[in-house]
Every structure is written in C-alpha cells, then in structure tokens.
C-alpha cells in the first residue's frame, strides 16, 4: 500500500488525505525519504542547499495567550516582562547587516499594551535606517493582536497597513497543528486553525509571501497531521488560482515540540519521526517549493540528514532564538559550521535571501564568510 502511494506521488498524482494518513501510520521511513528526495531534486536539480543569514529579534516576551507549551512568555504585569527599546532593535539589525545578514525575524508575545502604531512606527523607523533589510516578521497570532488593539481596523486593513509600513513577509509560526481539537488543548486562546489561515490568506491577497510551519508531538492524531498538510496545500492552491501578486507559502518548515520547561508533559519526538514528517510533507505538498531543515530544534546532525529526506534549505542561522531556547533547544551553529555541514552531505552551500533568490554560492571548498561568528543572546 505504501509503495502504491509513493508511486502515485512519483507519477505526479496528488495524495488524498487517506494516503497521507497511511504514510504517517507507516514506519517505512527510508522509502518515504527516498521518494521525497526524488521529488525535491525534480524541483531543485542543482546540488545546492541554501541558507539565509538572519537574526531572530524577540522584541517582547509579554503575552496574553498563555500557550501551555511555551516557556518564553511572561504575563502582562510580570516583573520579568520586557519590550526592547527601539535603539536596541536597531543595534541588532545593524549587527546582522555587518555580518552579511539579510533577514530579520521579529517575533514576540501578543502584548496587549502595545498599540498598532508601535508596529507601523517601528517598521518605518527600521526601513528608513536599513532599507536593504528584509523584514520577515510577526506570526499570525501577533497580527490578530494588532487587529484587536487597532480599534476598529479589519484584518485586511491591518495587513495592508503593516505591509506598507515595511513588513515584507510573514513567517508561519504558531501554526502548531492546524486542527482545533489539539489547538484547544495546548493554546486555547490562540484562535482556531482558520484564524491562522485567514491571516495567511490575507497576506497572500495583499501581495506578501509567507511560510508555513507544523509542530508534531503535541498529542495530535495522524489524521490531524494529515489534515494540517492538506489545509496548507488547499490554501496554496487558492493563492495560485486567484493569481495574487504573491508566491503564497514560499517554504514549509516542520519541527518537533520541545517539552523541557513547559507545562505539557509529552514525550520528545524521535529523529525518525521528524525525518518521516519532513518526507511526508514534501510528498504531500506538491505546490510548495522549499522545505527547511529545522536544525535549531533537532540539532545539526539530524538537520544534515533531513537534506536526504526532502529538504533543500538549511533555514536561517537563527542566531537569536529565545523562544525555542527557553524550551530546551539550544543548538547554535555558526555560519562556518553551516557551510561545513552542508558540504558533508555532498551539497554546495549557497546563501539566499528571504525570497529564495541565491545571493552567493560557496563553490570553493575553502570559501568562508569573513565574519564567521555566533551571536550571544
Ligand atoms: S507561543 Fe507565542 S502566543 Fe503562545 S504564549 Fe508563547 S509567545 Fe504567547
């Protein structure tokens, strides 16, 4: 049965939800990886693995959504809550540019004390100072909070205004599992899966690209994992069908729940389960081109293996990842290590921008970046 499903995918036929569930229920991980790798190579025939140099700026840890799996947030009013001063954010962006970085992923809690003008003013201030930087920032939960604090703007108005102020694209954080049974258990206040998807569809409509994530190991069923993938595939179809000035979901990034320091007592997912999910995602999502390895959570060695299971991208250097590191994933890889790890898989490393345009190919074995470093949080 698994062979028949994989054959179908190789012939270019689309998987049904039942097919995807059958793959999740199977342990034929290597077969799935082999198929995913062939499908990846059809879309990316050059033996290149890309990465982006970027920085994650956690501008505030104040949040009123209280997700059970989150070790990062502080309640409004907490002594440990913070909002980074603008000057500190500017400094972090300058440091990122200084080492050849192109992307800033601003990500924080849904802080009820920040007005909508905080975001638009900050983005304008950033773009005035650093027109070359790509702002790939704010997850759907933060956009929803902006709608709440905007005093009457619609979701589309908020997304248009923030795009005009300087937001280039939206990261797909907070998708967790796009099904309400699991969402209600882990982050009751975060909104339904359709709320998450509405933000993404609106971003596509106004001309922004986005990415999509998926977190496994939150107590979800195999059916819910499959539905997650098919819901993302349907939204991507919709973006293409409507001919929006957007490529929709530019990339898909599955990763695993990190249970340390959280209120959810769940088992850590195995590397095999992660690699299987990467492969099934590549096989099911035939309309998404790029799949990012998640070495921040899985570690560099598994990250390297994921390049044989359908990933064509090593993600961001993610030099400041407080949300994940609070929950126990503390792998830090400097840019030199990324080049080395990619080369060890037989691929040629290449730096890309947020749109996946290649900026620099590291053809020469000895080529390295001048400012090879690991930033401290
Ligand atoms: S995951 Fe995000 S939305 Fe949920 S509590 Fe943490 S910071 Fe808030």
């Amino acid at each position: 049965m698994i062979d028949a499903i994989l054959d179908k995918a190789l012939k270019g036929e689309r998987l049904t939800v039942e097919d995807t569930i059958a793959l999740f229920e199977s342990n034929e991980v290597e077969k799935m990886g082999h198929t995913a790798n062939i499908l990846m190579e059809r879309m990316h025939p050059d033996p290149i693995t890309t990465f982006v140099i970027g920085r994650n700026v956690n501008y505030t840890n104040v949040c009123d959504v209280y997700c059970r799996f989150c070790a990062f947030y502080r309640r409004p009013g907490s002594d440990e809550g913070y909002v980074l001063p603008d000057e500190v954010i500017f400094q972090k962006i300058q440091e990122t540019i200084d080492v050849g970085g192109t992307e800033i992923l601003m990500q924080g809690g849904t802080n009820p004390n920040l007005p909508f003008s905080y975001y638009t003013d900050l983005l304008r201030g950033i773009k005035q100072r650093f027109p070359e930087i790509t702002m790939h920032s704010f997850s759907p939960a933060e956009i929803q909070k902006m709608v709440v604090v905007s005093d009457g703007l619609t979701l589309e108005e908020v997304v248009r205004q923030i795009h005009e102020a300087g937001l280039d694209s939206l990261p797909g954080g907070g998708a967790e599992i796009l099904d309400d049974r699991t969402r209600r258990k882990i982050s009751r206040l975060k909104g339904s899966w359709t709320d998450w998807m509405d933000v993404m569809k609106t971003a596509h409509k106004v001309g922004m690209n986005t990415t999509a994530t998926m977190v496994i190991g939150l107590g979800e069923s195999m059916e819910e994992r499959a539905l997650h993938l098919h819901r993302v595939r349907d939204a991507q179809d919709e973006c293409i069908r409507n001919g929006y000035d957007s490529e929709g979901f530019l990339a898909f990034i599955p990763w695993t729940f990190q249970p340390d320091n959280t209120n959810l007592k769940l088992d850590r997912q195995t590397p095999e389960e992660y690699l299987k999910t990467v492969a099934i995602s590549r096989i099911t999502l035939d309309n998404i081109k790029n799949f990012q390895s998640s070495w921040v959570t899985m570690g560099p060695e598994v990250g390297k293996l994921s390049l044989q299971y359908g990933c064509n991208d090593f993600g961001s250097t993610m030099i400041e990842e407080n949300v994940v590191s609070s929950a126990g994933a503390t792998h830090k890889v400097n840019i030199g290590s990324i080049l080395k790890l990619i080369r060890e898989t037989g691929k040629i490393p290449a730096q890309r921008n947020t749109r996946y345009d290649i900026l620099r190919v590291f053809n020469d074995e000895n080529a390295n970046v001048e400012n090879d470093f690991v930033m401290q949080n």
Side-chain angles (χ1 to χ4, degrees), residues 63 65-67 69-70 72-73 108-110 141 190:
C63 188
V65 169
Y66 320 127
C67 300
F69 57 84
C70 179
F72 168 73
Y73 79 85
T110 61
K190 209 173 207 168

Side-chain angles (χ1 to χ4, degrees), residues 60-74 107-111 139 141-142 174 176 186-187 189-190 323:
T60 181
N61 65 347
V62 177
C63 188
D64 60 2
V65 169
Y66 320 127
C67 300
R68 290 179 64 200
F69 57 84
C70 179
F72 168 73
Y73 79 85
R74 294 295 178 271
Q107 195 189 13
T110 61
N111 188 334
S139 62
E142 289 157 276
E176 272 84 69
I186 57 171
S187 46
L189 300 177
K190 209 173 207 168
V323 176

Side-chain angles (χ1 to χ4, degrees), residues 276-290:
K276 184 168 96 175
T277 304
V278 169
I280 297 172
S281 306
R282 170 63 87 179
I283 296 166
T284 302
L285 292 168
D286 59 354
N287 53 5
I288 295 184
K289 209 169 165 195
N290 302 295

